[in-house]
Amino acid sequence: MTPPFNYPASKAKLIEDWVDDIWADFPTSVIEDSSFNIELWHTPQDEIILTEINPRAAHSYHYNYLYSFGTSLFGDNLALAKDGSEPKTTPWSMWKKWRG
């Protein structure tokens, strides 16, 4: 997950719990070994509204991740496809650490 720059890290747990709830409704066979791009609205009242789920990684963000966080969206996806390896460092985990 990659948050907008103005989103407070204090809300990370709220978003993570919401995503876990959303995924609980999907069959494992649909989401296993796949990449998804989830887009949502978060209101000032802490309401979360799903706007879309794209069944792909948003590779247009690759260079943003690379130059902002030093991570590789392409490399992470290749490792996932090769042997199911998940990245150790993600933009979401770095953002939570820096701004939490």
Side-chain angles (χ1 to χ4, degrees):
M1 290 190 277
T2 302
F5 290 112
N6 63 346
Y7 195 76
S10 61
K11 300 289 184 177
K13 180 74 171 132
L14 177 75
I15 299 296
E16 290 170 341
D17 290 346
W18 179 83
V19 169
D20 287 344
D21 287 344
I22 290 290
W23 284 142
D25 292 334
F26 282 82
T28 303
S29 61
V30 172
I31 60 174
E32 194 171 77
D33 297 329
S34 300
S35 296
F36 289 88
N37 172 358
I38 300 174
E39 298 182 22
L40 56 94
W41 285 98
H42 177 241
T43 70
Q45 295 78 29
D46 280 344
E47 181 183 12
I48 300 170
I49 302 164
L50 177 65
T51 58
E52 64 183 79
I53 299 175
N54 300 305
R56 58 168 169 70
H59 288 94
S60 58
Y61 289 104
H62 169 72
Y63 288 104
N64 183 20
Y65 295 168
L66 178 65
Y67 295 124
S68 297
F69 301 104
T71 61
S72 172
L73 184 58
F74 290 126
D76 291 345
N77 277 269
L78 289 172
L80 179 64
K82 178 183 173 195
D83 60 16
S85 299
E86 294 185 16
K88 292 182 175 98
T89 304
T90 65
W92 183 259
S93 66
M94 294 178 76
W95 170 78
K96 282 179 24 180
K97 182 174 69 173
W98 289 340
R99 300 203 182 181

